[in-house]
């Protein structure tokens, strides 16, 4: 029996910067997917996961998208085989401590856990960054979900008490020390993600439009000074650009604050990020705004912001470890009292990635 673990991740700062070729900060968390299993000499692929329908692929049967959970592990197998890797039959059982569809990227954890498991089971040469890219290809090309590299990079490279910095243009990954004694709270707004709705695509298009008008390949290439001196931008385009440009600058500033152990300054950047989402990018919701407002009022909370795509979903707050559970209860109580919406809170510590010493 062989086993592998890959964690989920939380986006700390750098909202919608990925497709603008910008920079982003995230962290692997101490919740994730574990897979255990062994080779099967007859070439079968046998997959099981608690709470999901088990699946079996006969030897020689082509790997095709099914629209079910097994697409995540099968996608990884399909990509490895497309690259000529010798992946034979195997049995794999998954178990997870990650809530599904809560913005903690259980999908990337599934892919990365599968890739590391198969690497070890079949003795494959798979450098850390290749594992992340393999997971993204599985999700993009097999599952059919467009996503950047951040989720998989965080799940692979994460390290205890470190944030992960990713430059989405150069695909450079760096680990940044994260101050001790600070945990993360993820609070669900209870309003469904609407990324498949038109808003996400509309924001993308507006960002590309802004870059085109500013005469640059991507908003990554614009500074806030450059943006203020640019003439004749329609107000909406200017505000969308201001969010991306601001986020990139906040991420770079945040790296300095984290290196200096200045969690208070880091927290202020989180709050500024949320404010920019609310005003400039308009990807917040009244519920997310309320959660952030409640969170920021609690003693021991350094910062809070929406995390992920927005338009619903969750917030992340950086909170002193010693008070984190009490703060979580307060936020839930007040939010549920004021909205009548039932919420779910996840207390995470920053944890190790699947290849923490890469
Ligand atoms: P997120 O990545 O934000 O959690 P996604 O919709 O991208 O949400 O991925 C969730 C999907 O990943 C689930 O619908 C399921 O298909 C698959 N998945 C996640 N965790 C597991 C698990 N423990 N076992 C089987 N499939 C899982
Ligand atoms: Mg996902």
């Amino acid at each position: 029996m062989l086993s592998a673990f890959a964690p989920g991740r939380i986006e700390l700062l750098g909202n919608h910067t990925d497709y603008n070729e910008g920079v982003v900060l995230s962290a692997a968390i101490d919740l994730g997917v574990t897979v255990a299993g062994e080779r099967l000499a007859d070439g079968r692929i046998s997959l099981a996961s608690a709470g999901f329908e088990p699946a079996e692929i006969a030897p020689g049967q082509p790997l095709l998208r099914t629209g079910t959970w097994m697409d995540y592990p099968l996608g990884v197998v399909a990509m490895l085989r497309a690259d000529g890797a010798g992946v034979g039959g195997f049995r794999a059982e998954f178990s997870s401590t990650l809530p599904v569809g809560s913005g903690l990227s259980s999908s990337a954890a599934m892919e990365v856990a599968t890739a590391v498991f198969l690497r070890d089971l079949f003795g494959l040469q798979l450098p850390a960054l290749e594992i992340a890219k393999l997971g993204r290809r599985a999700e993009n090309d097999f599952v059919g979900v467009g996503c950047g590299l951040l989720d998989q990079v965080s799940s692979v490279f994460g390290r205890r008490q470190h944030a992960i910095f990713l430059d989405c243009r150069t695909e450079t990954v760096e680990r940044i020390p994260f101050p001790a004694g600070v945990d993360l709270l993820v609070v669900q707004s209870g309003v469904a993600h609407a990324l498949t709705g038109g808003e996400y695509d509309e924001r993308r298009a507006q960002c590309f439009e802004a870059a085109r008008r500013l005469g640059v390949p991507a908003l990554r290439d614009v500074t806030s000074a450059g943006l203020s001196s640019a003439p004749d931008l329609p107000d909406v385009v200017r505000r969308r650009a201001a969010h991306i440009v601001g986020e990139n600058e906040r991420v770079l500033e945040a790296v300095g604050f984290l290196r200096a152990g200045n969690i208070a300054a880091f927290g202020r950047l989180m709050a500024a990020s949320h404010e920019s989402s609310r005003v400039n990018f308009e990807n917040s919701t009244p519920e997310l705004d309320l959660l952030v407002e409640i969170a920021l009022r609690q003693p021991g909370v350094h910062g809070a912001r929406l995390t992920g795509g927005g338009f619903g979903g969750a917030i992340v707050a950086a909170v002193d470890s010693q008070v984190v559970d009490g703060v979580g209860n307060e936020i839930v109580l007040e939010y549920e009292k004021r909205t009548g919406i039932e919420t779910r809170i996840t207390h995470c510590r920053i944890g190790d990635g699947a290849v923490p010493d890469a």
Side-chain angles (χ1 to χ4, degrees), residues 210-221:
R212 192 185 57 76
R213 283 173 180 267
L214 291 160
V216 291
L219 284 179
R220 154 66 175 268
D221 301 297

Side-chain angles (χ1 to χ4, degrees), residues 72 105-108 139 151:
Y72 295 90
S105 210
S106 65
S107 58
E139 186 142 352
D151 300 354

Side-chain angles (χ1 to χ4, degrees), residues 33 49-50 52 68-69 72 94-96 99-108 110 139:
V33 170
S49 180
F52 293 82
T68 69
W69 72 275
Y72 295 90
F94 295 84
S95 60
S96 175
V100 168
S102 295
L104 297 174
S105 210
S106 65
S107 58
M110 286 288 292
E139 186 142 352

